[in-house]
């Protein structure tokens, strides 16, 4: 049995991934390229009993080294040397798509073309002479329709035959770059060949070309391996550069691009005939765009759509989420019944089951949201949203595509930062993406809302809507301002060029949407599941240990025994009821004492002198510390801290009354607490996801920076409010 | 008449005369097929007048006005 290794490559929107999905079906898996967040998609299929491994390279427009996607594509080709590159191109836009093909050929890697979207080619009145094209390019080309799977058999067969024929040999294509570039190119190739620079990886002429194009990655390698040679070459290129600027008012790399397009145009003149001039017709996409990107209708429809999407995600997600919650509640009850009372039970129930349940509770949300996102992305509407909103977000150093993560994180109150941060995947600009990830958790997510409701109910019950609205508005203002601040300080730098394709509208394939959804969900379960379990146990320990010492424990036990004795001797129902209440109170007092005694409790008390600047007493501190685990914990811990027992998030009326009566709490404290809860450290599931999407460094930065910012603002608000109110 | 893409009217057609962008922006522009001699047509502007949508080589791409400023064009025909 022969094994073949193919790499699918092509521009974004060429239908590459759709073709990959049709061919490999469910036989695929997603991993990561080490150190970066670009997905590595691999799959297998068989042809005549022979196994074919396929890697789906990230979509890219060029083989330079500006984006992670391009670097990865290049690395796979050079390091792994696939038997053949199947270059998937949109056959209706050959002129631009062949730009990448030519670069594969210049590198010398064995390559063939999958002329995708052949159905569109016919309907657009384009005729492609495939024979001629194959002859001129010197490689096979097969027409396909990725969405229906048409042509995939022939494609694979041709690929395998050609891979066998080429047998892994590389034949670099030589293109003339005109009288200015060619002589230098020859000269540099000679120097590189003589010095044997990177000779086992790249052809000499290609290295020379990359030097002239100013490819950072190659130049850096050259400088390390052969500093003197590199210096000489760079000096000569500088001379050419000055010459080009003086005589032609252009750059060498622009000349190279001109000649590449010239080469492609000459090639296409022979093999492609357009019988219908494209400008004569207004195609469907243009018609849809006249409405969807209309000056007034466009933004209105977008807002409606965003709201609908949000609404669907969270209403539809509610049922499976509740199911998951009930399942884990049941599991916790079961474990509590089976296991004997004590530390092990507490660890399993409060540490493990609650922690894992908390993580898996998000799964339905993530699934629904990624179905919608995949739909918006595959249909082509996402690009239009970025196009319409870019102006607004750009002024804050963000990108038009930042809107999605913000909305999902709670830009419409009640979202969730976990899928929100994951949605930042759609941003292709690294700096803008990072700023989006760091600021999206400011949004009022669904778990912060009960805290707001509690405080609003206790202190601003007459201005409920107004306070809630200003909180959401405040979150947006803070997110955008902080993004601006970050982009002009630690994530400083030119905004990434917006130059972006507006792909034609297409109906997404069900398979594509489902695969996309499952990839993301599985990734979340895997990554978050492991880390979250560990942190969850850690937080449980902080809120449990050290337990009460023996004397205190004994005191509680003896009081309980005494009460129970009185209960057995009690005669009237009234007496019994009184003792029951006393017992319950005793349990709450013990719970409070234990919490106060624990590491988290001690930390809360220790911090009181500092946090009193923002109006928080030690009880509030403990609740806020617990909130780092999950914001839902704030209300329930506050219940324990006010010795009310575990308080249900949805029913906090008794807690509300308690807080109202507490002299430590007033309107100023409430305002300060709302601000703090809104802005402080993201919950740890979010932190894990943030680390996954950026790095642990940035995730920990968010943890400290957000908490500091929240605290400073809360103090300012508290002190200010004390003066005014 | 030479001007930058920013100053073209909707549906106006033009041919690229020169591109002054270098570095990453220059590369992105070239990779997307915007090179000297290419014919383009303005097909839309975002609701806030920026970015602009340009049709070339059978597809549509968008760029911000300040990016479009680097691209000098000559108008091909007056808008109908």
């Amino acid at each position: 049995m022969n094994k073949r290794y193919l790499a699918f490559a092509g521009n974004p929107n060429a239908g590459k991934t759709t073709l990959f999905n049709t061919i490999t079906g469910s036989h695929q898996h997603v991993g990561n390229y080490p150190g970066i967040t670009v997905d590595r998609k691999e799959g297998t299929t068989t042809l005549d009993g022979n196994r074919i491994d396929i890697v789906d390279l990230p979509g890219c427009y060029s083989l330079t080294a500006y984006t992670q996607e391009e670097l990865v594509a290049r690395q796979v080709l050079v390091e792994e040397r696939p038997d053949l590159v199947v270059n998937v191109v949109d056959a209706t836009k050959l002129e631009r798509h062949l730009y990448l093909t030519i670069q594969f050929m210049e590198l010398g890697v064995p390559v063939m073309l999958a002329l995708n979207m052949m159905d569109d080619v016919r309907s657009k009145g384009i005729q492609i002479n495939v024979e001629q094209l194959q002859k001129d390019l010197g490689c096979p080309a097969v027409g396909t329709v990725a969405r229906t799977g048409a042509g995939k058999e022939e494609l694979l067969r041709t690929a395998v035959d050609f891979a066998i024929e080429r047998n892994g040999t590389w034949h670099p294509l030589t293109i003339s770059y005109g009288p200015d570039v060619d002589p230098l190119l020859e000269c540099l190739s000679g120097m590189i060949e003589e010095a044997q620079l990177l000779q086992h990886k790249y052809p000499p002429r290609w290295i020379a070309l990359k030097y002239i194009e100013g490819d950072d990655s190659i130049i850096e390698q050259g400088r390390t391996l052969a500093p003197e040679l590199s210096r000489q070459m760079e000096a000569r290129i500088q001379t050419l550069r000055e010459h080009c600027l003086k005589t032609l008012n252009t750059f060498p790399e622009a000349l190279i691009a001109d000649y590449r397009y010239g080469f492609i145009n000459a090639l296409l003149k022979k093999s492609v005939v357009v019988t219908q001039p494209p400008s004569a017709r207004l195609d469907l996409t243009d018609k849809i765009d006249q409405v969807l990107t209309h000056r007034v209708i466009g933004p209105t429809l977008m807002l409606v759509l965003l709201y609908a999407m949000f609404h669907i995600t969270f209403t539809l997600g509610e049922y499976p989420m509740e199911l998951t919650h009930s399942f884990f509640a049941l599991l916790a009850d079961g474990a509590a019944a089976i296991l004997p009372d004590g530390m092990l039970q507490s660890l399993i129930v409060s540490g493990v089951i609650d922690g894992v349940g908390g993580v898996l509770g998000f799964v339905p949300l993530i699934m629904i949201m990624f179905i919608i996102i995949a739909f918006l992305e595959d249909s082509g509407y996402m690009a239009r949203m970025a196009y319409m909103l870019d102006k607004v977000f750009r002024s804050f150093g963000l990108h038009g595509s930042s809107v999605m993560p913000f909305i999902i994180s709670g830009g419409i109150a009640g979202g969730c930062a976990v899928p929100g941060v994951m949605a930042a995947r759609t941003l292709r600009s690294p700096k803008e993406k990072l700023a989006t990830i760091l600021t999206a958790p400011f949004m009022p997510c669904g778990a912060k809302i009960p805290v707001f409701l509690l405080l609003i109910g206790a202190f601003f019950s007459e201005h409920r809507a107004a306070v809630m609205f200003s909180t959401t508005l405040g979150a947006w203002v803070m997110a955008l301002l902080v993004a601006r601040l970050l982009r002009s300080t630690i994530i400083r730098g030119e905004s990434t060029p917006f130059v972006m394709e507006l792909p034609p509208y297409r109906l997404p394939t069900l398979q594509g949407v489902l695969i996309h959804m499952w990839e993301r969900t599985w990734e979340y379960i895997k990554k978050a599941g492991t880390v979250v379990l560990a942190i969850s146990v850690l937080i449980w320990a902080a809120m449990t240990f050290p337990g009460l010492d023996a004397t205190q424990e004994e005191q509680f036990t003896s009081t309980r025994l005494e009460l129970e004795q009185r209960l057995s001797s009690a005669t009237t129902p009234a007496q019994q009821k009184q003792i029951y209440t006393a017992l319950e109170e005793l349990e709450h007092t013990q719970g409070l004492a234990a919490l106060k005694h624990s590491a988290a409790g001690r930390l809360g008390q220790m911090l009181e002198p500092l946090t009193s600047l923002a109006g928080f007493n030690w009880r509030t501190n403990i609740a806020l510390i617990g909130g780092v685990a999950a914001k839902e914990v704030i209300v329930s811990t506050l219940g324990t801290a006010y010795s009310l027992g575990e308080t249900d998030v949805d029913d906090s009326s008794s807690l509300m009354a308690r807080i109202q009566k507490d002299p430590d709490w007033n309107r100023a404290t409430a305002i300060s607490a709302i601000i703090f809860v809104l802005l402080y450290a993201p919950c740890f599931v979010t932190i894990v996801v943030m680390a996954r999407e950026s790095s642990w460094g940035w995730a920990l930065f968010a943890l400290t920076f957000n908490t500091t910012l929240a605290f400073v603002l809360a103090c300012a608000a508290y002190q200010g409010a004390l003066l005014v109110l | 008449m030479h001007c930058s893409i920013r100053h073209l009217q909707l549906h106006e057609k033009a041919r690229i005369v020169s591109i002054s962008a270098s570095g990453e922006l220059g590369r992105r522009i070239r990779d997307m097929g915007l090179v000297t001699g290419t014919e383009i047509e303005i097909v839309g502007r975002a609701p806030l007048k920026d970015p602009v949508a340009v049709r070339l080589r059978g597809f549509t791409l968008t760029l911000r006005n300040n990016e479009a400023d680097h691209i000098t064009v000559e108008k091909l025909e007056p808008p109908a």
Side-chain angles (χ1 to χ4, degrees), chain A residues 646-659:
Chain A
E646 287 251 327
T647 303
D648 190 355
V649 170
D650 299 321
D651 175 33
S652 50
S653 48
S654 56
L655 180 58
M656 213 181 273
R658 255 330 244 283
I659 287 178

Side-chain angles (χ1 to χ4, degrees), chain A residues 66 95 286 390 394 500, chain B residues 27 50 55 57 62 64:
Chain A
Y66 277 98
E95 205 178 346
D286 292 327
D390 184 66
R394 190 200 331 162
M500 177 185 81
Chain B
R27 185 205 59 105
D50 185 15
R55 165 74 45 92
R57 302 177 199 268
T62 66
R64 292 173 177 157

Side-chain angles (χ1 to χ4, degrees), chain A residues 415-663:
Chain A
C416 174
V418 173
V421 167
M422 288 173 82
R425 277 286 174 95
T426 49
L427 271 109
R428 278 184 152 245
S429 336
K431 287 185 192 119
E432 285 85 345
K433 177 180 160 185
L434 186 58
T436 308
I437 289 175
L438 291 175
T439 49
F442 286 143
M443 295 298 171
C445 73
K448 291 176 187 171
I449 302 244
V451 187
F452 299 152
L453 290 182
L454 171 76
L455 296 173
I456 292 171
F459 297 102
F460 304 100
S461 49
E462 68 278 29
H463 304 299
R464 231 180 126 98
V467 177
M468 205 60 220
F469 182 74
S470 357
T471 308
T472 310
L473 202 67
W476 273 96
V477 171
M478 280 315 293
L480 291 177
L481 287 182
V482 171
R484 181 69 269 175
L485 177 76
L486 292 173
R487 286 285 282 115
S488 42
T489 53
I490 45 174
I491 326 176
R492 195 179 23 228
E494 283 277 302
S495 57
T496 317
F498 188 72
V499 188
M500 177 185 81
E501 194 179 350
L502 280 188
Y505 288 105
R506 288 180 196 286
L507 197 64
T509 62
L510 183 66
Q511 188 192 29
V513 170
L514 289 181
I515 287 179
H516 185 93
M517 178 272 288
W518 180 244
E519 274 166 24
R520 293 282 167 268
T521 312
W522 180 236
E523 189 180 15
Y524 167 75
I525 296 174
K526 245 183 353 193
K527 291 280 175 186
T530 42
V531 187
V532 161
L533 184 62
I535 302 179
S536 170
V537 169
L538 208 73
I539 290 178
W540 165 82
M543 296 187 77
T544 312
F545 294 108
L548 294 171
D549 55 45
T551 25
Q552 284 169 302
E553 196 85 54
E554 226 164 84
Q555 259 176 356
F556 279 111
T557 320
S558 63
T559 322
R560 182 173 301 117
L561 283 174
E562 197 182 305
L563 280 169
E564 274 164 5
Q565 256 169 9
R566 272 172 54 196
L567 184 65
S568 52
S569 59
T571 42
T572 63
Q575 269 180 329
Q576 279 178 341
K577 204 182 161 199
Q578 200 189 353
I579 295 166
Y580 273 128
T581 322
L583 265 172
E584 207 171 298
E585 227 159 72
L586 180 75
E587 198 166 308
H588 294 163
T589 322
Q590 187 178 3
L592 172 62
L595 184 63
K596 209 174 161 183
H597 205 259
S598 70
R602 287 168 191 213
L603 185 63
Q605 294 169 74
M606 213 169 69
L607 287 176
E608 201 180 48
L610 180 67
T611 56
S612 60
L613 286 173
F616 305 150
N617 59 17
W618 64 270
R619 295 169 208 262
T620 317
N621 289 350
I622 297 180
L624 292 174
I625 292 168
V628 180
K631 303 281 142 111
E632 288 92 340
V633 174
I634 298 178
V635 172
S636 64
T637 313
L638 211 53
T640 313
Y642 275 95
S643 63
L644 289 165
E646 287 251 327
T647 303
D648 190 355
V649 170
D650 299 321
D651 175 33
S652 50
S653 48
S654 56
L655 180 58
M656 213 181 273
R658 255 330 244 283
I659 287 178
Q660 265 172 332
K661 271 184 265 162
D662 186 335

Side-chain angles (χ1 to χ4, degrees), chain A residues 375-408:
Chain A
F375 190 87
L376 289 181
E377 225 179 329
D378 294 356
S379 67
Y381 188 68
M382 195 78 105
R384 269 78 182 180
M385 271 170 57
Y387 166 64
M388 284 190 278
L389 280 170
D390 184 66
K391 179 108 196 238
V392 180
F393 281 89
R394 190 200 331 162
S395 32
F396 296 100
L398 299 168
H399 187 276
S401 307
S402 303
V403 66
M404 215 54 173
F406 277 167
I407 296 279
I408 294 164

Side-chain angles (χ1 to χ4, degrees), chain A residues 62 64 66 70 93 95-96 99 251 253-254 257-258 261 286 387 390 392 394 495 497-502, chain B residues 21-25 27 30-33 35 44-48 50-51 55 57-62 64 67:
Chain A
S62 181
T64 42
Y66 277 98
E70 291 171 357
K93 307 179 178 88
E95 205 178 346
R96 200 199 69 216
Y99 189 71
F251 308 99
E253 61 266 30
D258 285 351
Y261 279 110
D286 292 327
Y387 166 64
D390 184 66
V392 180
R394 190 200 331 162
S495 57
F498 188 72
V499 188
M500 177 185 81
E501 194 179 350
L502 280 188
Chain B
S22 63
E24 180 172 7
L25 178 61
R27 185 205 59 105
R30 288 193 299 276
D31 285 354
M32 299 299 275
V35 293
R45 281 184 203 277
L48 294 168
D50 185 15
R55 165 74 45 92
R57 302 177 199 268
F59 69 98
T60 309
L61 63 81
T62 66
R64 292 173 177 157
E67 293 161 359

